[in-house]
């Protein structure tokens, strides 16, 4: 009974899922109600997570951990899930996919992510991963009468199942060569001479890299981002990344910490490849969702660069990078949601041309967000990259830092191109002005946070600096 | 012990025979029935070595669900067409080369596995593990599934729930102009609302305005 206190958020979320499912079935046209209840329950779950004990607790035979990292990441997951739901309400209604299952599946996938974040055992981790991916497959093909959406869902399903298979193979190798699925026991048993287990690590990294869409396992990202409904794309770009990156951090620094030299090369390679592809491949894109997909691949490359350092400051800079990435992407997708005219949403970059003449405020926040994504000081995106490069240089990996800087410059091109289209091209017909308040709040909030971050950088740094893995 | 051996050979002969029949029979429905026979005799073999849980699961899952699913799929295909087709002898000869290579590789792999067994590491013999012979398989599995692994069991339940919700959301469509059963309305209907007495004048018919 003692342990129930520690899994209150998870229990609460699962009970809410079942309760809302029943409510949604018996009440007619219940999307609005279910959506509202989902947001409220996510907010309540944040309170429950905040209430958790501060010291490290392991429950269920050490297979589930509650520590600083998991608490922070859970709060981030829940918070951004709320924002995604808030900002996508109008989109769902106009596209007629406002079914009551939508928020419930989002909730279930959040539950899966929370389980992943807290997992301290290969089996718990795998079940959490499957729970969240299963929900993501459904969400990707949620607009089922549109070909592109079903194609995205199927593509994601097939590729993700393959990645899960590889991951599971890695897990079984690790289990076979160390004799346990528990992270701590694996960490004690693992050493570089254990070739079989090191072989298993490669497979686990492949699976995890697929989940955060890092090169060379990124193939699904542009197609799935483009094909699925924009509300789902914004969910894809924000929330699963938190869980996957947390698990990445935990895997590398708890069970695999003794074979650091073995996996460091792999992570550096993945990081460099992601940064280069994210910068180069996005140049030719015309669809803004596709562009965001490549941009997120690039950003994940920078986040992994921090992870590859093997120092606590590197991990902390990765977490800060993740948080700022989330805020920027929330704003960017808010802008994409606003590209709406007579109940149709526009996705092409050319549709933005001359936006500044008709919508000065929208284009201003677009400007802020894009400058920040490009990493131009004094916006938050600059600081995110700055911390990463600081810790990378501190640990003496100059090649990684130089490649990172070069790709930043290259990627600035396509962000600046959008700004040029917004400010210097011929204006088109204005977009609609009637926005949902949730969309407005999330967009204004993210723009302001990006803008004023440089005044109080210590707040975020102080919070994150208490996350110490080892 | 003799009875055990006799039963083993009896059921394993059936297994091998029906496994061959699965691929040899030309009629796909027979083929599925032979597959069911394979599953049943394998589950008997499982029960004979004391793994009664595995045997029962084999019956429930493979025979009860998977084989029935196969049967449905096979029945939906056009079986008659396949039967009337003339068997082609040339197919066997054409596929012989690839088939024999694959067969040889599998045979070699089996040889390596069985041969490598001689050089296996030192494992603990079964008598060293503390097994309670009074417990049945089901009981032993339940003992850990509902205590040590209860959280995993529950998460699996959530995954299955989501799979169900997903299947319904992605395929269920409410069609218009379809008369559905409304149980409560149908049961609540009374004579007064359903039947009306009409005086029919002679020489004139009855018209309903509905």
């Amino acid at each position: 009974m003692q342990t129930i206190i520690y899994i209150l958020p998870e229990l609460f979320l699962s009970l809410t899922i079942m309760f809302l499912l029943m409510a949604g079935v018996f009440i007619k046209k219940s999307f609005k109600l279910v959506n509202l209840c989902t947001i409220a329950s996510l907010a309540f779950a944040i309170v429950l997570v905040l209430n958790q004990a501060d010291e490290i607790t392991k429950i269920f035979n050490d297979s589930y951990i509650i520590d600083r990292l998991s608490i922070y990441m859970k709060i981030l997951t829940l918070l951004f899930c709320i924002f995604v739901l808030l900002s996508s309400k109008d989109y769902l209604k106009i596209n007629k996919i406002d079914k009551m299952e939508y928020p419930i599946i989002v909730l279930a996938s959040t539950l899966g992510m929370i389980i992943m974040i807290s997992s301290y055992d290969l089996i718990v981790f795998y079940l959490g991963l499957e729970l969240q991916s299963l929900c993501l497959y459904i969400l990707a093909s949620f607009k089922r009468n549109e070909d592109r959406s079903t194609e995205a869902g199927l593509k994601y399903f097939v590729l993700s199942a393959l990645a899960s298979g590889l991951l599971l193979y890695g897990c079984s190798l690790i289990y076979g060569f160390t004799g346990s699925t528990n992270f701590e026991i694996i960490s004690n048993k693992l050493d570089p001479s254990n070739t079989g287990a090191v072989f298993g690590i490669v497979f686990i990294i492949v699976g995890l890299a697929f989940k955060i869409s890092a090169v060379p396992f990124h193939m699904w990202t542009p197609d799935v981002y483009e094909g699925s409904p924009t509300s789902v794309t914004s969910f894809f770009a924000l929330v699963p990344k938190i869980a996957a990156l947390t698990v990445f951090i935990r895997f590398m620094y708890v069970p695999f910490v003794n074979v650091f030299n073995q996996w460091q090369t792999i992570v550096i390679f993945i990081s460099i490849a992601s940064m280069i592809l994210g910068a180069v491949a996005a140049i030719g894109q015309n669809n803004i969702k596709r562009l965001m997909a490549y941009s997120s691949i690039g950003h994940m490359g920078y986040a992994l660069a921090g992870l590859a350092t093997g120092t606590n400051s590197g991990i902390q800079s990765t977490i800060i990078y993740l948080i700022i990435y989330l805020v920027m992407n929330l704003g960017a997708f808010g802008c994409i949601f606003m590209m709406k005219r007579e109940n149709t949403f526009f996705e092409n970059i050319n549709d933005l041309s001359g936006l500044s003449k008709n919508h000065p405020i929208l284009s201003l926040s677009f400007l802020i967000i894009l400058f920040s994504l490009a990493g131009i000081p004094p916006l938050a995106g600059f600081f995110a990259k700055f911390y990463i490069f600081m810790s990378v240089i501190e640990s003496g990996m100059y090649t990684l830092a130089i490649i990172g800087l070069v790709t930043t410059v290259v990627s600035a091109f396509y962000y600046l191109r959008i700004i040029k289209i917004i400010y210097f091209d011929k204006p088109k017909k204005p977009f609609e002005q009637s926005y949902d308040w949730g969309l407005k709040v999330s967009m204004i909030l993210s723009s302001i946070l990006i803008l004023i971050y440089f005044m109080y950088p210590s707040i975020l740094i102080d919070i994150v600096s208490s996350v110490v893995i080892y | 012990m003799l009875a055990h051996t006799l039963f083993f050979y009896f059921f394993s002969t059936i297994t091998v025979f029906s496994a061959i029949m699965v691929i040899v029979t030309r009629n796909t429905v027979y083929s599925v029935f032979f597959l069911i026979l394979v599953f049943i005799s394998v589950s008997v073999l499982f029960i004979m070595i004391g793994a009664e849980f595995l045997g029962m699961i084999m019956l429930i899952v493979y025979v009860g669900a998977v084989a029935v699913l196969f049967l449905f799929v096979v029945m939906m295909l056009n079986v008659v067409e396949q039967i009337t087709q003339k068997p082609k002898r040339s197919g066997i000869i054409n596929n012989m080369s690839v088939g024999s290579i694959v067969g040889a590789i599998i045979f070699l792999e089996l040889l390596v596995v069985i041969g490598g067994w001689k050089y296996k590491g030192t494992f603990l013999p079964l008598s060293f593990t503390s097994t309670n012979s009074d417990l049945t398989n089901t009981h032993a599995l339940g003992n850990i599934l509902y205590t040590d692994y209860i959280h995993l069991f529950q998460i699996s339940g959530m995954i299955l729930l989501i799979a169900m919700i997903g299947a319904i959301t992605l395929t269920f469509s409410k069609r218009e102009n379809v008369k559905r059963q409304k149980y409560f309305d149908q049961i609540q209907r009374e004579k007064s609302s359903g039947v009306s007495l009409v005086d029919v004048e002679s020489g004139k018919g009855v018209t309903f305005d509905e």
Side-chain angles (χ1 to χ4, degrees):
Chain A
M1 282 309 283
Q2 280 288 309
T3 52
I4 282 192
I5 298 165
Y6 298 110
I7 54 160
L8 269 184
E10 288 84 351
L11 275 182
F12 174 71
L13 282 183
S14 3
L15 288 176
T16 321
I17 290 167
M18 289 173 222
F19 174 74
L20 286 180
L21 205 58
M22 294 315 277
V25 168
F26 284 111
I27 303 169
K28 293 260 154 65
K29 304 256 176 208
S30 51
F31 171 74
K32 232 177 176 175
L33 181 79
V34 173
N35 199 34
L36 205 69
C37 288
T38 308
I39 291 167
S41 62
L42 285 168
F44 188 68
I46 293 181
V47 177
L48 287 177
V49 173
L50 274 174
N51 221 10
Q52 275 175 336
D54 220 14
E55 70 259 31
I56 298 168
T57 324
K58 289 172 199 152
I59 49 174
F60 295 130
N61 297 324
D62 292 352
S63 71
Y64 206 74
I65 189 172
I66 288 129
D67 60 350
R68 276 283 171 86
L69 179 70
S70 74
I71 290 176
Y72 288 157
M73 290 308 194
K74 279 177 187 174
I75 291 170
L76 270 185
T77 310
L78 294 165
L79 200 65
F80 278 92
C81 197
I82 292 176
F83 278 121
V84 167
L85 281 177
L86 273 178
S87 58
S88 58
K89 213 174 82 187
D90 260 9
Y91 181 88
L92 292 172
K93 200 172 282 172
I94 288 168
N95 278 289
K96 298 200 178 66
I97 42 173
D98 52 342
K99 294 188 209 152
M100 66 94 183
E101 286 94 346
Y102 184 87
I104 292 174
I105 294 171
V106 169
L107 201 60
S109 121
T110 318
L111 175 70
M113 288 167 206
I114 283 179
I115 291 168
M116 258 170 93
I117 287 170
S118 266
S119 61
Y120 207 61
D121 186 289
L122 290 174
I123 305 174
V124 181
F125 155 69
Y126 182 69
L127 284 175
L129 184 82
E130 279 306 295
L131 182 54
Q132 68 115 11
S133 339
L134 194 61
C135 299
L136 294 182
Y137 309 147
I138 301 166
L139 285 177
S141 49
F142 207 79
K143 201 173 177 186
R144 60 180 191 194
N145 40 19
E146 194 183 274
D147 286 350
R148 282 196 310 163
S149 176
T150 33
E151 188 200 323
L154 189 67
K155 219 173 234 174
Y156 186 50
F157 173 67
V158 172
L159 291 174
S160 182
L162 188 71
S164 289
L166 287 177
L167 192 92
L168 214 52
Y169 182 47
C171 290
S172 69
L173 278 175
I174 299 269
Y175 173 66
F177 281 97
T178 58
S180 176
T181 55
N182 188 282
F183 282 3
E184 215 154 85
I185 301 173
I186 292 172
S187 168
N188 293 333
K189 291 270 177 68
L190 209 59
D191 57 81
S193 63
N194 197 339
T195 326
V198 174
F199 198 62
I201 292 172
V202 177
F203 282 102
I204 288 185
I205 291 179
V206 169
L208 289 174
F210 179 89
K211 297 294 169 196
I212 59 167
S213 70
V215 181
F217 313 103
H218 65 283
M219 306 294 186
W220 59 278
T221 326
D223 291 344
V224 173
Y225 276 37
E226 191 191 356
S228 35
T230 313
S231 59
V232 178
T233 312
S234 71
F235 188 72
F236 265 117
L238 295 168
V239 192
K241 300 267 196 259
I242 309 172
L245 208 61
T246 316
V247 169
F248 214 124
I249 292 171
R250 212 190 280 287
F251 256 107
M252 294 303 126
Y253 287 96
V254 182
F256 302 158
V257 71
N258 292 331
V259 285
F260 174 71
N261 293 324
Q262 270 72 18
W263 61 256
Q264 193 193 20
T265 346
I266 306 174
V267 175
I268 289 176
F269 168 73
I270 293 177
S271 160
I272 289 176
S274 309
M275 289 190 291
I276 292 175
L277 188 114
V280 176
I283 291 173
Q285 302 304 327
N286 281 321
N287 185 302
I288 197 157
K289 275 155 78 180
R290 244 184 135 72
L291 186 127
M292 290 312 290
Y294 283 110
S295 142
S296 88
I297 293 172
H299 283 292
M300 281 301 124
Y302 294 107
L304 285 180
L307 191 76
T309 56
T311 55
N312 264 325
S313 72
I315 300 166
Q316 284 157 10
S317 62
T318 299
I319 296 170
I320 293 177
Y321 194 92
L322 178 70
I323 295 171
I324 293 174
Y325 162 82
L326 291 171
V327 175
M328 293 188 300
N329 261 32
L330 180 69
F333 276 99
C335 294
I336 296 173
F337 279 129
M338 289 187 176
M339 292 162 65
K340 166 185 79 163
R341 197 186 298 137
E342 285 149 13
N343 285 352
T344 35
F345 286 85
F346 292 88
E347 289 172 7
N348 276 338
I349 294 173
N350 290 331
D351 291 321
L352 284 169
S353 91
L355 190 73
S356 63
K357 306 282 186 305
N358 300 317
H359 304 274
I361 298 173
L362 175 61
S363 23
L364 186 68
S365 40
F366 231 137
L367 177 87
I368 292 169
I369 291 158
L370 288 171
F371 267 140
S372 172
L373 280 168
I376 287 166
L379 299 169
F382 164 74
F383 286 94
K385 289 201 170 73
F386 175 72
Y387 299 136
I388 291 277
F389 290 134
M390 277 287 280
S391 52
V392 167
I393 289 168
E394 264 172 28
S395 33
M397 295 188 285
Y398 297 107
T399 335
L400 186 58
I402 290 167
I403 293 175
L405 285 169
V406 171
T407 52
T408 313
V409 177
V410 176
S411 65
F413 166 73
Y414 58 81
Y415 296 121
L416 294 180
R417 186 169 72 105
I418 303 176
I419 294 172
K420 176 234 156 200
I421 289 171
I422 291 175
Y423 276 89
F424 301 110
D425 279 12
K426 267 188 195 157
K428 286 192 173 180
K429 254 170 81 182
F431 291 125
E432 263 172 40
Q433 298 270 16
S434 57
Y435 310 129
D436 191 36
W437 64 268
L439 186 58
K440 265 188 217 163
V441 165
S442 45
M443 213 185 85
I444 292 169
L445 199 68
S446 76
S447 313
I448 290 175
L449 281 178
I450 292 167
L451 203 57
I452 64 163
Y453 175 77
F454 76 97
M455 288 191 249
Y456 311 101
S458 55
I459 299 175
L460 190 60
I461 294 171
D462 284 347
I463 293 172
V464 174
S465 63
S466 62
V467 176
V468 178
I469 304 283
Y470 67 100
Chain B
M1 211 53 214
L2 179 71
H4 195 273
T5 321
L6 275 178
F7 275 120
F8 171 76
Y9 280 114
F10 178 65
F11 284 114
S12 41
T13 319
I14 293 179
T15 314
V16 173
F17 170 73
S18 40
I20 292 170
M21 288 307 282
V22 171
I23 47 171
V24 169
T25 40
R26 206 152 279 283
N27 189 329
T28 27
V29 179
Y30 291 168
S31 173
V32 173
F33 276 116
F34 274 114
L35 193 67
I36 292 175
L37 193 57
V38 173
F39 289 144
I40 290 175
S41 31
V42 167
S43 85
V44 171
L45 289 178
F46 270 131
I47 292 168
M48 278 172 62
I49 58 167
E52 83 281 347
F53 184 76
L54 211 55
M56 288 303 159
I57 285 293
M58 189 96 184
L59 273 186
I60 295 167
V61 175
Y62 281 92
V63 179
V66 176
V68 172
L69 204 69
F70 271 158
L71 210 57
F72 269 114
V73 172
V74 165
M75 282 172 173
M76 282 178 188
L77 299 174
N78 203 348
V79 184
V80 184
E81 204 175 278
Q82 288 179 341
I83 297 169
T84 51
Q85 270 178 355
K86 282 266 157 59
K88 285 176 190 163
R89 286 282 161 208
S90 61
I92 296 177
I93 299 157
N94 281 343
N95 298 327
M96 191 70 108
S97 51
V98 180
S100 52
I101 290 171
V102 173
I105 290 171
I106 292 174
F107 182 71
L108 277 177
E109 281 178 345
L110 280 174
L111 220 60
V112 169
V113 169
I114 296 165
W117 194 248
K118 199 176 170 225
Y119 307 102
K120 67 181 190 298
T122 45
F123 294 120
L124 282 178
L126 206 61
S127 52
F128 272 76
T129 54
S130 58
T131 44
N132 187 352
S133 53
D134 292 339
L135 280 180
T136 61
N137 280 200
T138 321
H139 201 126
L141 271 173
N143 267 353
I144 56 164
L145 200 59
Y146 293 100
T147 53
D148 292 350
Y149 295 117
I150 180 68
H151 55 307
L152 302 172
F153 189 65
Q154 296 290 339
I155 299 168
S156 323
M158 283 307 290
I159 294 176
L160 291 178
L161 176 71
I162 294 302
M164 194 180 79
I165 298 172
I168 294 171
T169 358
L170 293 183
T171 55
F172 177 74
S173 58
K174 208 163 196 174
R175 261 175 268 155
E176 300 295 320
N177 304 323
V178 173
K179 289 196 172 173
R180 293 178 180 281
Q181 287 206 315
K182 296 174 187 164
Y183 308 108
F184 289 109
D185 291 358
Q186 284 169 338
I187 294 165
Q188 276 179 343
R189 226 164 102 100
E190 287 189 2
K191 191 184 167 190
S192 57
S193 66
V195 181
S196 59
L197 285 174
V198 185
D199 280 328
V200 186
E201 289 180 42
S202 60
K204 287 181 181 174
V206 183
T207 50
F208 287 102
D209 298 340
E210 275 185 318

